[in-house]
């Protein structure tokens, strides 16, 4: 293995983390997220403006000469940890990571303009594939006649917030404005309302060609998305563990804190171990992506195969150990459970990533 | 003096020039290395070190390995190097340090740990081996158990009860016991693997000079904490490659023996491969934190994860082998010098790995430690805290 990963956080990364965390503490508490998720405007546009425009975080993965911040996946991962910790309803993963990575794989004027627009945060982009996709498809749901697109895709994450769709077809990757004639976005009732899904239909909508073949861009986008989703899952898990430790220390039953019962302590210690491991896996994936290492495919598959079960386990344990309050609409745990469960399907399930890994490391199936 | 990496590299080169590994006898080389301060560079000068940052040991080791220098076979004296040495360094008198550290480091004197007793395992502080002082000499009577490597050991770290009338943690004292003294009787204790790697040790009227006490009378529990903390961090410090350890053996069999493959085993193998790789990354991250001078609590969990993985992987390996998994390489009673996971076959690995969640503190005890010390969860209510040891139920 050529690349020795740096698994720590740099001082700059820690500074970035506190800046994002401070912003989220002021603008994105659980109650706000909850209220917003129930409204017709599930995305927090004001928060997005702060993160993307004021702090310049939408352009982290874009080189400076292309209109971005010229940072790397390591920094983007730190942002996602904090967004995960707050289950923030912003299209960061979908626009600043997945759509941005797709554009980074494209050449030409059209892609360059769009990339700079996404990097500035003033335009939100979404790759028009189902959130559950892990790799490019053999057949796309949308076809292009000349540059007129027709077809439909369901389960597109954050589509309702998007200004522009990047649409893979057999004839290449196209950009289509969300407001263009012939484009219909129909919100779907989603398990995770903080990252809502929508169906996107194209009926002869005007597309601008970004790349003559869609697969390379889609592959790159989904790989980066999967690799950085792990950091979101880490943020979720850390919040859940911290809150549950706090709660079980304070909650008394049988004349003592429930957290002093060994049956619970061992479960929480176990969860801590998993979270510590998840942190190493998340850093490993982010660093491999940042370094453009040959090892990135393996690092991402390993991290994804590990992350989803841990985040879901953290949420399920948190709910159980909070007792009745954990089951309520009022308490934020359900926001985390829904996000963690949705994340376990997003960009490929753990099982799909294990299948891919088995091929990569030559542990062939029977 | 504190040395930086370049200075240390130069020093090591000079040392190698003066003591060419090819023509210097092994023990002579090791003794000279100790005297040059290149044994453990973070120890004081004169005691095998140079007062240098601990992280620089890696620089020295890399140079020595590249030059083909002999090592001190650290696996053979794990208890000495990992536990006795740091405890002696912290609590020993100057004479004790001078007497014990060098032959310990070179491996000329192997150490064992006389802590556990039939009635005091997880609850180590309940121990009943008595030590009574008369003039300048202690007389020790009692029984220890599960003592790894006692049959090869020259010295032991020993804890014994010196004050039965105070609560159990307060009346313990820590000693260095000469295993060749009269009254020390080491008897093999055969393990489920067939070999006798550990022992029962009977102590009958053993005389220990007061000069072999480590720390103050009655402070043994505190001293033992140093030993136990070092025991638990010793694991996980080394850098291992991907597929290092047991997962590599299972993966190799999988690749070479397509006829053994089934769907179910595939699912389980890949899952364990992922977990082993993630555990490796966590170890690497912990190491990087240490080197960066920001030690975190992550190390506390390494032994837990390592034990579970070793057990699951070795269990899978036996199943993978199918018919062959029904066989065992050798049940002969042996007295091994070290635990050799990779030198034996799958059945041995499966059985020996069962000890990984017991030795050095059971996984249950380590989970308690993580919960209380890392997560800050409240302790269980205790009934033994203020009761004199002699009045406890046994
Ligand atoms: C291979 C091997 C090598 C060893 N080498 C040495 C050595 O060199 N020197 C030495 O001194 N000792 C040695 N030991 C002993 C080892 O440290 C003890 O076996 C261990 O600490 C457990 O003690 P025990 O066997 O008395 O089990 P017990 O303490 O009796 O435990 C029985 C069960 O109860 C559980 N338990 C106990 N207390 C609690 C609690 N508070 N909460 C939850 N569960 C609990 C344990 O986890 C275990 O499952 C060795 C052991 C093994 C297996």
């Amino acid at each position: 293995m050529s690349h020795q990963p740096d698994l720590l956080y740099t001082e700059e990364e820690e500074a970035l983390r506190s800046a994002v965390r401070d912003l989220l503490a002021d603008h994105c508490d659980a109650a706000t997220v909850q209220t917003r998720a129930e409204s017709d405007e599930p995305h927090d546009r004001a928060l997005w403006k702060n993160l993307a425009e004021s702090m310049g975080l939408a352009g982290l993965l874009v080189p400076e000469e292309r209109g971005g911040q010229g940072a790397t996946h390591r920094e983007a991962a730190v942002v996602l940890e904090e967004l995960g910790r707050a289950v923030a309803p912003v299209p960061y993963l979908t626009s600043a990571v997945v759509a941005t990575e797709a554009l980074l794989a494209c050449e030409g004027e059209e892609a360059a303009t769009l990339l700079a627009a996404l990097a500035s945060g003033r335009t939100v982009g979404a790759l028009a594939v189902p959130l559950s996709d892990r790799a490019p498809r053999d057949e796309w749901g949308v076809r292009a006649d000349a540059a007129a697109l027709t077809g439909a895709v369901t389960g597109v994450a954050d589509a309702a917030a998007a200004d522009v769709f990047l649409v893979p077809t057999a004839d290449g990757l196209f950009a289509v404005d969300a407001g263009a004639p012939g484009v219909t976005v129909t919100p779907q009732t989603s398990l995770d309302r903080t990252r809502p899904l929508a169906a996107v239909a194209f009926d002869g909508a005007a597309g601008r060609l970004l790349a003559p073949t869609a697969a390379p861009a889609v592959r790159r986008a989904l790989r980066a998305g999967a690799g950085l989703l792990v950091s979101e899952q880490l943020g979720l898990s850390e919040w859940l563990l911290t809150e549950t430790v706090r709660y079980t220390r304070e909650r008394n039953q049988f004349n003592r804190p429930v957290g002093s019962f060994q049956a619970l302590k061992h479960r929480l210690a176990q969860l801590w171990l998993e979270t510590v491991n998840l942190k190493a896996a998340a850093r490993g994936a982010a660093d491999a992506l940042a370094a453009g290492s040959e090892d990135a495919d393996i690092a991402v598959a390993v991290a994804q195969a590990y992350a989803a079960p841990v985040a879901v386990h953290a949420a399920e344990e948190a709910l159980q150990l909070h007792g009745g309050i954990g089951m309520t609409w009022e308490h934020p745990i359900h926001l985390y459970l829904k996000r963690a469960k949705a994340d376990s399907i997003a960009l490929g399930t753990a099982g799909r990533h294990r299948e891919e890994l088995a091929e990569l490391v030559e542990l062939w199936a029977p | 003096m504190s040395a930086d990496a370049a200075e240390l590299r130069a020093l090591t080169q000079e040392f190698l020039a003066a003591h060419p590994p090819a023509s210097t006898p092994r023990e002579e080389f090791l003794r000279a290395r100790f005297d040059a301060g290149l044994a453990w560079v973070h120890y004081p000068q004169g005691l095998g070190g140079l007062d240098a940052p601990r992280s620089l040991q890696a620089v020295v080791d890399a140079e020595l390995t590249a030059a083909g220098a002999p090592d001190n076979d650290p696996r053979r004296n794990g208890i000495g190097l990992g536990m006795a040495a740091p405890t002696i360094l912290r609590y020993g008198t100057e004479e004790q340090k001078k007497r014990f550290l060098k032959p310990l480091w070179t491996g000329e004197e192997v150490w064992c740990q006389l802590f556990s007793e039939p009635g005091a395992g997880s609850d180590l502080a309940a121990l009943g081996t008595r030590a009574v002082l008369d003039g300048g000499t202690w007389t020790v009577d009692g029984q220890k158990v599960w003592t790894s490597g006692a049959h090869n050991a020259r010295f032991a770290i020993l804890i014994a009860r010196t004050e039965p009338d105070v609560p159990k943690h307060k009346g313990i004292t820590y000693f260095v016991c000469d295993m060749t003294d009269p009254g020390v009787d080491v008897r093999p204790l055969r393990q489920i693997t067939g070999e006798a790697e550990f022992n029962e040790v009977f102590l009958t009227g053993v005389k220990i000079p007061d000069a072999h006490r480590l720390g103050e009378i009655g402070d043994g529990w505190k001293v033992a904490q140093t030993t136990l903390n070092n025991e638990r961090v010793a694991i996980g410090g080394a850098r291992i490659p991907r597929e290092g350890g047991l997962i590599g053996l299972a993966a190799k069999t999988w690749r070479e023996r397509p006829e053994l493959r089934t769907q179910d085993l595939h699912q389980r193998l890949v899952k364990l491969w992922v977990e082993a790789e993630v555990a490796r990354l966590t170890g690497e991250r912990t190491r990087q934190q240490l080197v960066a001078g920001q030690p975190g609590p992550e190390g506390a969990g390494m032994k837990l994860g390592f034990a579970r993985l070793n057990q699951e992987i070795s269990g899978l390996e036996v199943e993978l082998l199918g018919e062959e998994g029904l066989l065992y390489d050798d049940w002969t009673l042996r007295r091994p010098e070290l635990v050799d996971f990779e030198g034996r076959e799958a059945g041995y690995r499966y059985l020996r790995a069962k000890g990984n969640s017991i030795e050095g503190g059971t996984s249950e005890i380590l989970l308690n430690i993580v919960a209380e010390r890392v997560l800050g969860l409240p302790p269980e209510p205790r009934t033994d805290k203020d009761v004199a040891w002699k009045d406890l139920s046994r």
Side-chain angles (χ1 to χ4, degrees):
Chain A
M1 201 190 6
S2 49
H3 179 68
Q4 181 64 49
D6 171 3
L7 301 169
L8 305 182
Y9 299 98
T10 62
E11 268 172 44
E12 293 75 32
E13 285 162 7
E14 290 295 359
L16 173 63
R17 177 199 304 290
S18 3
V20 177
R21 196 182 283 195
D22 286 349
L23 178 74
L24 292 170
D26 291 345
H27 297 287
C28 190
D29 59 84
T32 314
V33 176
Q34 175 89 280
T35 317
R36 190 165 293 287
E38 289 173 59
S39 74
D40 293 337
E41 259 295 317
H43 293 96
D44 191 335
R45 289 185 188 271
L47 177 63
W48 175 255
K49 210 171 151 63
N50 263 315
L51 283 165
E53 295 184 36
S54 314
M55 296 179 72
L57 300 182
L60 287 181
L61 297 178
V62 180
E64 278 173 79
E65 66 276 13
R66 302 179 78 176
Q69 305 295 315
T72 71
H73 301 79
R74 293 177 54 94
E75 288 82 5
V78 169
V79 173
L80 278 165
E81 277 180 34
E82 295 311 308
L83 295 176
R85 209 183 302 277
V87 270
V90 288
Y92 194 84
L93 181 74
T94 42
S95 183
V97 178
V98 176
T100 297
E101 286 277 346
L103 289 169
L104 283 165
C106 301
E107 285 164 9
E109 198 64 25
E110 187 60 47
T113 312
L114 206 45
L115 187 61
L118 258 56
S120 76
R122 281 187 285 277
T123 300
V124 171
L127 183 66
V129 302
L131 178 61
S132 56
D133 274 9
R134 172 186 126 280
R137 295 173 170 252
D138 294 334
E139 279 177 38
W140 307 100
V142 182
R143 62 175 209 290
D145 290 323
L149 304 193
T150 304
V153 193
T154 55
V156 180
D158 294 332
D163 303 301
V164 60
F165 292 107
L166 311 182
V167 190
T169 73
D171 296 308
L173 185 68
F174 288 86
V176 182
D177 291 330
V183 179
T184 323
V185 177
T186 314
Q188 296 174 287
T189 305
S190 309
L191 175 67
D192 170 17
R193 303 211 285 184
T194 64
R195 180 175 283 144
L197 307 178
V200 186
F202 303 96
D203 184 8
R208 308 185 294 280
L209 187 68
L210 297 166
T213 41
V218 173
R219 181 170 293 111
R220 172 173 175 166
L222 297 183
R223 182 178 79 167
L228 294 189
L229 179 65
V230 181
S231 290
E232 174 177 303
Q233 290 165 311
L234 170 62
L236 291 169
S237 305
E238 286 188 334
W239 185 89
L240 287 157
L241 174 62
T242 308
E243 275 306 300
T244 309
V245 167
R246 192 182 61 71
Y247 184 76
T248 56
R249 279 167 57 168
E250 287 168 5
R251 173 73 174 165
N252 280 312
Q253 293 290 294
F254 303 98
N255 197 34
R256 55 195 260 213
V258 294
S260 69
F261 289 103
Q262 194 182 56
L264 267 57
K265 285 160 107 162
H266 283 193
R267 284 163 69 170
L268 288 164
Q270 192 59 46
L271 202 54
W272 176 79
L273 289 174
E274 291 172 20
T275 314
V276 163
N277 283 336
L278 178 52
K279 182 174 280 186
R283 281 278 94 188
D287 190 73
L289 286 167
S293 149
E294 282 174 19
D295 206 40
D297 283 332
I298 292 178
V300 169
V302 164
Q304 263 301 319
Y306 191 77
V310 172
V312 171
H313 184 216
E316 290 176 350
E317 288 288 80
L319 197 157
Q320 175 66 21
L321 300 190
H322 274 75
I325 188 88
M327 199 63 199
T328 63
W329 189 261
E330 173 197 348
H331 196 284
I333 284 183
H334 68 97
L335 298 173
Y336 289 80
L337 175 68
K338 292 164 188 171
R339 174 69 76 86
K341 194 68 186 170
D343 280 356
S344 77
I345 298 165
L347 299 156
T349 58
R352 297 288 304 275
H353 287 282
R354 281 197 297 270
E355 280 171 19
E356 184 170 309
L357 179 71
E359 290 292 317
L360 291 167
V361 301
E362 305 185 339
L363 291 173
W364 298 285
Chain B
M1 180 190 96
S2 95
D4 69 15
E7 283 174 56
L8 257 183
R9 200 167 289 125
L11 212 64
T12 311
Q13 290 300 345
E14 254 171 64
F15 174 78
L16 281 164
H19 304 86
S23 55
T24 315
R26 181 170 181 276
E27 277 187 1
E28 192 184 311
F29 182 93
L30 293 174
R31 285 189 213 118
R33 181 176 160 192
F34 185 95
D35 293 337
L38 299 173
W40 37 52
V41 297
H42 57 292
Y43 273 39
Q45 295 188 46
L47 295 174
L50 296 166
D51 292 308
R54 189 186 194 126
S55 55
L56 292 182
Q57 186 68 43
V59 174
V60 174
D61 291 348
E63 292 296 313
L64 290 169
T65 310
D71 79 5
N72 61 341
D73 201 356
R75 291 199 303 161
R76 230 184 104 238
N77 195 13
I79 289 176
L81 291 161
M83 296 186 254
T87 313
I88 294 168
L89 181 68
R90 171 117 181 242
Y91 289 100
T93 60
E94 285 315 304
E95 284 100 86
Q96 289 170 342
K97 294 180 202 170
K98 284 241 141 30
R99 164 64 188 87
F100 295 125
L101 288 175
K102 186 168 169 179
L104 184 164
W105 186 83
T106 60
E108 288 162 271
E109 287 173 355
V110 171
W111 286 62
C112 68
Q113 181 188 22
L114 293 172
F115 278 20
S116 304
E117 297 183 6
S122 301
D123 186 8
L124 186 55
L127 60 88
T129 291
R130 288 295 313 271
V132 180
L133 183 63
D134 185 15
T137 304
W138 296 86
T139 303
V140 182
D141 288 281
Q143 186 197 338
K144 296 288 176 175
V145 75
W146 328 122
T147 317
S148 303
H151 49 292
N152 296 316
R154 173 61 216 279
F155 286 106
I157 41 178
L158 163 75
I159 44 180
R161 181 145 320 269
T162 44
E163 290 164 274
D165 301 331
V166 297
K168 62 182 183 181
H169 290 92
K170 296 192 176 141
I172 296 172
T173 303
Y174 198 117
F175 300 96
V176 171
C177 174
D178 186 335
M179 294 297 284
T180 62
D181 273 349
V184 178
D185 179 14
V186 176
R187 300 185 198 162
L189 196 50
R190 200 173 187 194
Q191 280 160 252
I192 61 172
T193 54
E195 60 187 21
E197 174 197 305
F198 53 29
N199 305 269
E200 294 181 291
V201 179
F202 294 85
L203 304 163
T204 318
V206 177
K207 303 289 181 202
I208 298 183
D210 193 47
H212 280 192
R213 170 165 51 80
L214 276 180
E216 299 303 314
I217 296 173
D219 259 356
W221 186 249
K222 192 176 85 190
V223 183
Q225 290 310 305
T226 301
T227 310
L228 297 174
N229 289 337
N230 277 292
E231 178 168 21
R232 285 154 195 164
V233 294
I235 302 165
R239 191 171 233 168
I240 55 163
R242 180 175 286 164
E243 286 196 6
L246 298 196
I247 193 67
L249 298 175
K252 186 165 182 281
T253 306
W254 182 269
R255 292 188 187 112
E256 289 172 358
R257 308 271 307 266
E259 77 281 4
L260 299 176
R261 296 176 194 161
T262 70
Q263 283 297 350
D264 166 61
L265 289 167
H266 190 240
Q267 298 282 326
R268 288 158 57 199
L269 176 68
V270 179
K271 228 170 158 175
L272 287 170
W273 198 97
V274 167
E275 288 179 26
E277 173 65 3
V278 172
R280 185 185 74 84
L281 288 168
T282 303
E284 177 62 24
R285 191 172 138 77
T286 308
R287 208 191 54 79
Q288 290 180 7
Q289 280 178 303
L290 274 176
V291 171
Q294 328 153 345
E298 284 79 357
M302 293 301 294
K303 179 183 180 287
L304 277 161
F306 164 83
R308 192 184 54 78
L309 267 173
N310 264 7
Q311 293 175 350
E312 288 195 22
I313 295 167
S314 59
L316 180 80
E317 199 190 359
V318 170
E319 258 185 86
L320 170 61
L321 289 168
E323 264 180 72
E324 273 169 58
L326 292 170
L327 305 175
Y328 192 72
D329 59 356
D330 186 1
W331 289 115
T332 316
L333 171 68
R334 312 188 220 190
R335 301 287 274 149
E337 283 209 0
L338 46 84
V339 182
D340 187 7
F341 269 103
E342 301 188 14
R344 300 267 314 255
E345 288 180 12
Y348 172 84
R349 284 193 274 283
Y350 172 68
L351 296 174
R352 182 57 185 82
K354 295 291 168 252
N356 292 156
S357 53
I358 301 172
E359 58 195 333
T362 67
S363 292
E364 288 75 22
I365 296 300
L366 294 185
L367 286 169
N368 283 350
I369 290 176
V370 167
E372 290 174 17
R373 301 203 197 143
V374 179
L375 297 178
L377 288 165
E380 300 257 337
R382 301 196 57 159
T383 54
D384 59 352
K385 232 175 157 167
D386 303 314
V387 184
W389 173 80
K390 65 176 171 43
D391 299 328
L392 291 173
S393 59
R394 259 184 292 278

